[in-house]
Amino acid sequence: MKTSRAAGTAGLICALTLFSGCQHTEIKIDRTPMPTVAAPPYVCKYIPLKAVELMTGEHNPLVRGYMDLDRPDAGDGDCAIYQRGGDRLKVLQILLVPLSSEDRVKDQLQNGASPLPAIIPGAIGYYGENSSTDDNSAHAMLARGHAELLIKSEKGVEGRDNAADVVALMKLIAPKLIKPDSTPTLTPSTTRG
């Protein structure tokens, strides 16, 4: 009896292995280029959903947060995008902070960070991949006057250029989120002839 039970178990294991081998499907990476024009639908009022889906691999992701552009000197906001399934991990975060951080950006650039291309007149920024993680993460920061915009891709799509994706997203959203009046007004103490 033990022999037939063992043979049955071995047969079941063999059948399951064969079945799972037959069901092997290759995961296709979506290498569609990021959009170059911001278009609806949006998450957090200003961030194109199509760009978010491409760079996170999440279709119809969970979104929490806001972007408030009603402040007189600079906007304020925190928009977080989460995986819909599993542990609902945060995969992308966009922060708009009303503070001056141009010196911090200059420090990062002097320490070897890659400079962002010109996106907004008078703005300075950097971007890069996070080499300390295995999650294909990348980040970009742009600062001008009293406004700082930070994009943190916590978990990028394997096989995509995640650093290029954060730069592309910055190009899409920075012109809307960093207002022209976020540049500080020059005062006599800051101007010299």
Side-chain angles (χ1 to χ4, degrees), residues 133-147:
T133 69
D134 294 331
D135 289 332
N136 304 306
S137 60
H139 60 277
M141 177 188 275
L142 187 70
R144 182 176 75 178
H146 297 293

Side-chain angles (χ1 to χ4, degrees), residues 43-44 46-48 52 55-56 63-67 76-81 90-97 140 148-154 166 169-170 173-174 177:
V43 297
C44 298
Y46 300 97
I47 301 149
V52 168
M55 67 189 297
T56 64
V63 179
R64 302 280 184 266
Y66 68 95
M67 289 291 162
D76 182 26
D78 182 354
C79 184
I81 290 84
K90 184 180 355 176
V91 291
L92 178 64
Q93 185 170 23
I94 298 109
L95 297 165
L96 179 60
V97 184
E148 170 187 303
L149 182 59
L150 176 65
I151 299 172
K152 296 190 308 186
S153 175
E154 305 281 349
V166 295
L169 184 59
M170 185 67 80
I173 65 175
L177 297 178

Side-chain angles (χ1 to χ4, degrees), residues 66-145:
Y66 68 95
M67 289 291 162
D68 178 10
L69 303 184
D70 293 332
R71 294 174 56 104
D73 54 352
D76 182 26
D78 182 354
C79 184
I81 290 84
Y82 298 87
Q83 292 176 334
R84 187 163 285 284
D87 293 336
R88 298 189 176 195
L89 299 173
K90 184 180 355 176
V91 291
L92 178 64
Q93 185 170 23
I94 298 109
L95 297 165
L96 179 60
V97 184
L99 58 88
S100 179
S101 58
E102 291 177 0
D103 289 337
R104 196 164 44 154
V105 172
K106 289 175 186 174
D107 288 343
Q108 291 292 326
L109 291 170
Q110 287 176 349
N111 288 322
S114 299
L116 280 172
I119 297 173
I120 298 174
I124 184 171
Y126 69 91
Y127 72 98
E129 293 180 339
N130 298 337
S131 58
S132 62
T133 69
D134 294 331
D135 289 332
N136 304 306
S137 60
H139 60 277
M141 177 188 275
L142 187 70
R144 182 176 75 178

Side-chain angles (χ1 to χ4, degrees), residues 16-34:
L16 288 174
T17 304
L18 248 165
F19 178 73
S20 66
C22 294
Q23 296 298 317
H24 176 70
T25 57
E26 189 174 317
I27 297 172
K28 187 176 178 187
I29 298 166
D30 187 352
R31 290 195 171 94
T32 303
M34 289 283 283

